[in-house]
Amino acid sequence: MSFEPSVRSLCLLLLFGASALGCGHKAPPIPPPLENPARTADLAVQQRGLAAILSFTYPQTTVSGGVLQGLERVEIWRTKKAMAAFFGEDPAFETEDEESVPATETSEATLETAHSEDAAEPESDPESESEDQVEDEKTASEDDAEPESDVPGQPLEVLAATTPAEFLATAQLIESFDADAIERATAGDKLTFRVELGEAGHEEWAHTFAVKTLVSEKLVSAYSNTVTLVQRIAPPPPTDFQLTAEASGIRLTWAEPSESEDRPTSFRVYRRPVQNRLYGQSLTRLAGDATEYLDRTAAFGERYIYAVTAAGHESPLLESFFGGEREIDYSDRFAPNPPTNLIALAESGRVRLLWDASTEEDVVGYVVFRRRDGTEFQKLTDEPVVDVEYSDRTVETGATYDYRVSAVDRVGNQGEPSASVVARIP
């Protein structure tokens, strides 16, 4: 009796088992990286005139940490309620738009994890903030003034702040900005949008905002941090705003408030190159009694647009609207100061002139003038002298000469001459 088939079968079975053991178990699939924009965490708000100015850093990464290619839409979400609700009445949220998509989670939810399941169709393309730019949140936090409140120690914005659960349950989509509007709203790494608040009535309103950023209809960020603004009556803007070009900078002046107007808490000065659409942070914050400012950082050859706002509240910042902007071509038309301490050393066959340099930083040289026996001064140097000394070797023995020197700047402005000195040739 032969056992060969059984042996062969056993060998094949062992070989198959060893092969199966060598392959091992298949690893679970790795989920694809999330391409949704990372959540905005630095949304800031202020009021300018009758508008809320919202600003935040342009998102750079996805939820998974990848590089974000760009945004197709920014959505502004808001809850709005009357401040009277916090002083003896039940809170009442206002529903503003039947087509808006409300958030649905109402308990144990946070804005960090909330996503819109249904993306609303974009509304008409509102204009983004084209000429206004808010100071960033850091500047606002450095202001010392506390907002007023009927409850001791509690700013109105703290009292009116909406909880995450309330925001998720009641937030309404109020603005939707497309890619073109986003481009217009971008300055550096900041996005700034203007949202109209409406006419201020007798009743104060509290507005709580958050933003969502979208790469596509399906790739939507979570809600940003929320910021609350209690709408107030903004102060009037400065009047009689004027610009004057000076050698040391551009001087801004404006009129004092009238006796019937409350004095502002401060003034903000804004500047932008004429080719820019947006203002950056304010150049400075001035006291409420200021009526002028000298911008020493202005550069010759630039065209600037300036604006000044009056602030009635500091945190969050409450500014007047830009009542009047002024444009200026800051060209260098200013002649340099003359050199000082000119001396003339008469020697045999020459006069050696020495002087102290002009105090202007843009001086590139000096022009030397001479006259003899009371005649008209004549220029001795065809090209400016770069040093602070000059030797006149065209003198005659026994003659008397008067000398003076003027400075020339890099654009060719020639200043007034120095005081003259006399040299008698031995």
Side-chain angles (χ1 to χ4, degrees):
M1 185 173 180
S2 174
F3 294 93
E4 291 182 1
S6 299
V7 173
R8 283 198 299 270
S9 299
L10 180 60
C11 290
L12 290 173
L13 181 62
L14 292 173
L15 181 62
F16 177 79
S19 176
L21 290 173
C23 292
H25 296 288
K26 187 176 181 180
I30 300 175
L34 296 175
E35 299 299 328
N36 301 63
R39 172 181 177 267
T40 293
D42 65 343
L43 178 65
V45 66
Q46 73 158 93
Q47 183 181 340
R48 181 177 293 138
L50 293 174
I53 309 300
L54 298 166
S55 64
F56 56 96
T57 302
Y58 196 112
Q60 300 293 325
T61 60
T62 65
V63 172
S64 301
V67 177
L68 191 68
Q69 297 303 314
L71 298 178
E72 289 299 322
R73 196 161 81 244
V74 169
E75 295 179 349
I76 309 295
W77 293 73
R78 179 181 70 177
T79 62
K80 178 182 176 183
K81 48 190 175 181
M83 286 301 297
F86 298 97
F87 305 103
E89 299 180 14
D90 292 333
F93 292 87
E94 180 180 278
T95 300
E96 301 173 275
D97 186 353
E98 293 181 357
E99 298 182 359
S100 299
V101 182
T104 56
E105 299 178 64
T106 59
S107 63
E108 300 300 325
T110 63
L111 299 184
E112 288 86 346
T113 58
H115 292 266
S116 173
E117 296 181 357
D118 299 312
E121 289 295 324
E123 301 175 355
S124 60
D125 178 20
E127 289 295 327
S128 64
E129 172 87 338
S130 63
E131 296 182 338
D132 298 347
Q133 174 72 16
V134 63
E135 289 185 272
D136 65 9
E137 191 172 16
K138 177 180 178 182
T139 301
S141 67
E142 292 174 352
D143 293 325
D144 297 328
E146 288 293 325
E148 70 279 358
S149 171
D150 291 341
V151 179
Q154 288 293 318
L156 289 180
E157 278 71 22
V158 173
L159 293 175
T162 301
T163 66
E166 288 175 329
F167 192 87
L168 291 170
T170 59
Q172 303 290 326
L173 176 63
I174 62 167
E175 297 280 13
S176 182
F177 297 92
D178 65 10
D180 290 339
I182 293 172
E183 182 180 359
R184 294 192 297 271
T186 303
D189 66 344
K190 285 286 186 181
L191 284 168
T192 302
F193 297 99
R194 179 187 182 94
V195 177
E196 296 297 332
L197 297 173
E199 293 291 336
H202 299 292
E203 188 174 35
E204 290 178 318
W205 289 91
H207 307 260
T208 298
F209 297 95
V211 299
K212 287 183 179 182
T213 55
L214 295 82
V215 173
S216 67
E217 296 297 327
K218 295 183 178 180
L219 298 178
V220 184
S221 74
Y223 281 112
S224 69
N225 62 300
T226 58
V227 289
T228 299
L229 177 71
V230 175
Q231 185 176 355
R232 296 173 171 87
I233 298 176
T239 58
D240 196 21
F241 175 41
Q242 302 293 332
L243 302 178
T244 305
E246 299 180 4
S248 55
I250 298 175
R251 187 171 299 278
L252 294 73
T253 59
W254 55 92
E256 291 187 15
S258 65
E259 294 182 359
S260 62
E261 297 175 343
D262 293 333
R263 187 172 295 277
T265 60
S266 65
F267 290 100
R268 298 309 202 276
V269 175
Y270 294 90
R271 183 191 76 191
R272 62 182 175 90
V274 70
Q275 66 269 19
N276 289 8
R277 297 185 300 271
L278 301 175
Y279 290 100
Q281 296 183 18
S282 63
L283 292 179
T284 188
R285 173 178 178 266
L286 303 171
D289 58 355
T291 56
E292 66 175 334
Y293 173 70
L294 178 61
D295 178 15
R296 298 180 183 274
T297 66
F300 286 130
E302 295 287 341
R303 292 186 68 89
Y304 295 110
I305 295 177
Y306 285 86
V308 178
T309 63
H313 192 269
E314 298 295 333
S315 182
L317 184 62
L318 170 66
E319 288 182 295
S320 66
F321 63 89
F322 292 155
E325 296 177 298
R326 295 289 184 269
E327 182 177 336
I328 189 169
D329 180 3
Y330 192 41
S331 300
D332 186 358
R333 303 184 181 92
F334 307 99
N337 295 326
T340 57
N341 299 324
L342 175 64
I343 61 174
L345 303 176
E347 302 173 359
S348 178
R350 72 169 183 174
V351 173
R352 187 181 177 204
L353 301 172
L354 303 171
W355 59 87
D356 291 339
S358 170
T359 58
E360 304 297 330
E361 295 182 355
D362 61 344
V363 168
V364 296
Y366 301 89
V367 178
V368 180
F369 298 88
R370 185 188 73 181
R371 70 178 178 181
R372 180 178 179 179
D373 300 330
T375 59
E376 293 293 327
F377 276 99
Q378 302 293 325
K379 186 167 66 173
L380 285 181
T381 53
D382 293 330
E383 297 295 331
V385 176
V386 296
D387 297 323
V388 289
E389 63 176 275
Y390 176 77
S391 291
D392 178 15
R393 300 182 180 275
T394 62
V395 297
E396 298 180 6
T397 301
T400 299
Y401 299 95
D402 293 330
Y403 294 91
R404 62 188 187 187
V405 179
S406 62
V408 179
D409 66 18
R410 64 172 61 97
V411 296
N413 294 314
Q414 182 174 310
E416 292 295 321
S418 65
S420 61
V421 295
V422 177
R424 295 178 177 84
I425 310 303

